[in-house]
Amino acid sequence: MDKKTKLGQLNRLTVKHLTGMGATLDGGQMGDLLLPRKHMPDSLQEGSQIEVFVYLDSEDQPVATTETPKVMVGQVAYLKVIDVNKTGAFLDWGLPKDLLLPFAEQTNALRPGMHKVIYVYLDKASRRITASARLDKYLKEENTPLQPGQPVDLLFCGRSELGHKAVINGRYLGLLHHSDAYQNIMIGTTKQGFVKSINPDGRVNLALHLPNKAQLSELAERILADLEATGGVSQLTDKSQPDDIKARWKVSKGSYKKAIGALYKQRKIIIHPDRIELVKD
């Protein structure tokens, strides 16, 4: 059975013949596709195969290119707005014909020079490769395969009152709470992170760092040294506000509680409702 050529994807196609304009490729159900001469490698021969990206040209006809776009169908990317007209916004995705982001798929007004995180899909009516900023239409907000502690690739795509929204592994949506963001997070930033926890409703909470035993031990040692240097008392307890703990120690409240809990078990501190206190020898 012949392999189906996919629009908006990389395809490995066979060269049928070479012409002055370029190479004619066997596009399967799409028919013959032109690979323009400027994109042809010198070694290309009839009967050989070549990997190309298939998209629609300015006349909405399928065409092949050896150039790789910044994003393909089924992927997300952070792209620059090149132009805006009555049809929508047009984005730079690395090909001569810019990528359309229709008004109906926008979440806010866009101007040339702005950037936006978008998902690329094939429009069912027009069969055109199209962008959408409405990520929740195409990406799952509820987790199925992810596990707490799992490392993941993140693309930060928005903000909410609770924290920073991110695309996880290009397929899911999750949230990095403000209390777990120990640095400024800009929309469009990519980072490796971790699944911190999963809510009962399936929503994913993220972290940039997961504390291990060595890190917690090092934090406990720093807390102990600070107590010894500042009179043996600190107003930060396991009941303190996360922002106060983060401002002082650059860690989450959970990590801080584990560290002082370890010191308490070692009988090095006493935990009071309003303070922690160094145990005197």
Side-chain angles (χ1 to χ4, degrees):
M1 181 178 179
D2 292 337
K3 186 176 180 180
K4 186 175 181 180
T5 301
K6 295 181 179 179
L7 192 63
Q9 302 280 1
L10 290 174
N11 297 268
R12 193 161 190 83
L13 303 181
T14 301
V15 178
K16 294 181 67 174
H17 50 264
L18 305 177
T19 70
M21 296 179 60
T24 301
L25 307 181
D26 182 0
Q29 84 285 1
M30 291 187 186
D32 291 346
L33 300 179
L34 175 66
L35 174 63
R37 177 166 289 278
K38 64 180 178 180
H39 298 313
M40 285 172 47
D42 294 336
S43 59
L44 196 64
Q45 299 178 356
E46 292 184 3
S48 62
Q49 290 192 325
I50 185 170
E51 187 172 67
V52 293
F53 180 77
V54 179
Y55 70 112
L56 300 181
D57 63 14
S58 58
E59 297 179 353
D60 287 337
Q61 295 299 313
V63 64
T65 179
T66 51
E67 294 182 324
T68 302
K70 299 175 182 178
V71 62
M72 304 184 195
V73 168
Q75 297 179 347
V76 293
Y78 185 56
L79 300 182
K80 182 179 180 178
V81 178
I82 299 300
D83 190 22
V84 177
N85 63 22
K86 62 182 182 181
T87 306
F90 291 85
L91 312 175
D92 175 14
W93 65 324
L95 295 179
K97 182 183 177 183
D98 297 327
L99 180 64
L100 173 64
L101 173 56
F103 287 117
E105 296 295 330
Q106 297 178 24
T107 56
N108 61 288
L110 297 174
R111 300 186 304 276
M114 297 175 68
H115 288 74
K116 195 69 178 178
V117 177
I118 55 88
Y119 176 89
V120 178
Y121 68 101
L122 279 180
D123 182 73
K124 292 182 179 180
S126 67
R127 296 301 296 168
R128 292 175 181 172
I129 303 169
T130 311
S132 175
R134 300 185 180 279
L135 302 180
D136 56 355
K137 287 177 59 177
Y138 304 96
L139 303 176
K140 296 180 180 179
E141 291 190 78
E142 295 79 25
N143 163 69
T144 47
L146 299 173
Q147 298 294 326
Q150 178 179 337
V152 289
D153 293 321
L154 303 176
L155 169 59
F156 288 94
C157 58
R159 298 184 179 93
S160 73
E161 293 183 0
L162 297 177
H164 305 272
K165 299 176 182 179
V167 179
I168 307 168
N169 292 345
R171 298 180 61 190
Y172 305 94
L173 293 173
L175 184 69
L176 176 70
H177 287 261
H178 289 303
S179 58
D180 290 309
Y182 310 125
Q183 55 190 275
N184 291 329
I185 302 293
M186 304 295 291
I187 293 176
T189 299
T190 57
K191 289 183 178 292
Q192 184 178 64
F194 300 88
V195 176
K196 180 180 180 181
S197 62
I198 299 172
N199 294 341
D201 63 3
R203 294 177 184 264
V204 181
N205 301 309
L206 300 166
L208 296 180
H209 305 283
L210 288 181
N212 56 36
K213 291 183 178 180
Q215 290 172 322
L216 290 176
S217 176
E218 188 268 341
L219 175 60
E221 291 297 326
R222 287 196 287 133
I223 295 170
L224 192 61
D226 182 72
L227 286 169
E228 292 171 345
T230 56
V233 177
S234 172
Q235 306 305 316
L236 290 177
T237 71
D238 55 354
K239 302 294 192 297
S240 297
Q241 292 298 313
D243 287 346
D244 295 334
I245 294 171
K246 176 183 173 183
R248 176 66 184 85
W249 294 107
K250 303 297 187 293
V251 299
S252 68
K253 181 174 180 177
S255 295
Y256 181 76
K257 288 176 65 175
K258 290 178 182 178
I260 64 174
L263 292 174
Y264 175 78
K265 290 179 181 178
Q266 296 168 18
R267 299 184 180 181
K268 293 183 178 180
I269 65 169
I270 300 172
I271 301 177
H272 299 283
D274 60 345
R275 68 191 188 282
I276 60 173
E277 186 175 349
L278 190 66
V279 173
K280 298 179 180 180
D281 293 334

